[in-house]
Amino acid sequence: MIQSITNVLLPYIIGSIGGLLFSFLHIPLAWILGPMTILIIWRSIFVTGKHLYQPLIIKYGSFIILGISFGLAFTKDTFLTVGPYLVPFLITVIF
């Protein structure tokens, strides 16, 4: 029981530390890149071969929060700025 709680909470604690660290260092997208970077490093060094459990409700809730935060970043000006590059981008990707 304690082991399963640790497997759920420990990545969130380490990710929060990464977010705080990146935020303190004023790195852009601190609360997205910080936890991701720290958890990749942590898993590479300390958790080789071990499966960490994440309840589906927390996983899907995290995806919803990320989607909303990305979606709120797009404004009319964003599309007006990116719009002229759409055709060259599509040509580059297709050919």
Side-chain angles (χ1 to χ4, degrees), residues 40-94:
I40 289 171
I41 293 169
W42 177 68
R43 292 237 12 197
S44 300
I45 296 172
F46 299 111
V47 191
T48 54
K50 184 179 178 184
H51 179 71
L52 298 173
Y53 174 72
Q54 183 179 23
L56 287 179
I57 192 163
I58 295 174
K59 180 179 179 180
Y60 293 144
S62 300
F63 288 151
I64 290 169
I65 292 169
L66 278 174
I68 290 170
S69 67
F70 284 143
L72 288 174
F74 286 93
T75 63
K76 180 181 176 183
D77 292 333
T78 304
F79 290 108
L80 292 174
T81 303
V82 175
Y85 300 105
L86 184 62
V87 173
F89 173 74
L90 290 174
I91 291 171
T92 304
V93 170
I94 293 172

Side-chain angles (χ1 to χ4, degrees), residues 1-72:
M1 175 76 173
I2 297 296
Q3 186 66 26
S4 64
I5 292 172
T6 303
N7 285 344
V8 172
L9 290 181
L10 191 59
Y12 286 100
I13 293 168
I14 292 172
S16 297
I17 292 169
L20 283 170
L21 177 66
F22 274 48
S23 181
F24 178 73
L25 296 173
H26 301 286
I27 296 175
L29 298 172
W31 288 100
I32 295 171
L33 296 177
M36 185 172 62
T37 303
I38 296 299
L39 282 169
I40 289 171
I41 293 169
W42 177 68
R43 292 237 12 197
S44 300
I45 296 172
F46 299 111
V47 191
T48 54
K50 184 179 178 184
H51 179 71
L52 298 173
Y53 174 72
Q54 183 179 23
L56 287 179
I57 192 163
I58 295 174
K59 180 179 179 180
Y60 293 144
S62 300
F63 288 151
I64 290 169
I65 292 169
L66 278 174
I68 290 170
S69 67
F70 284 143
L72 288 174

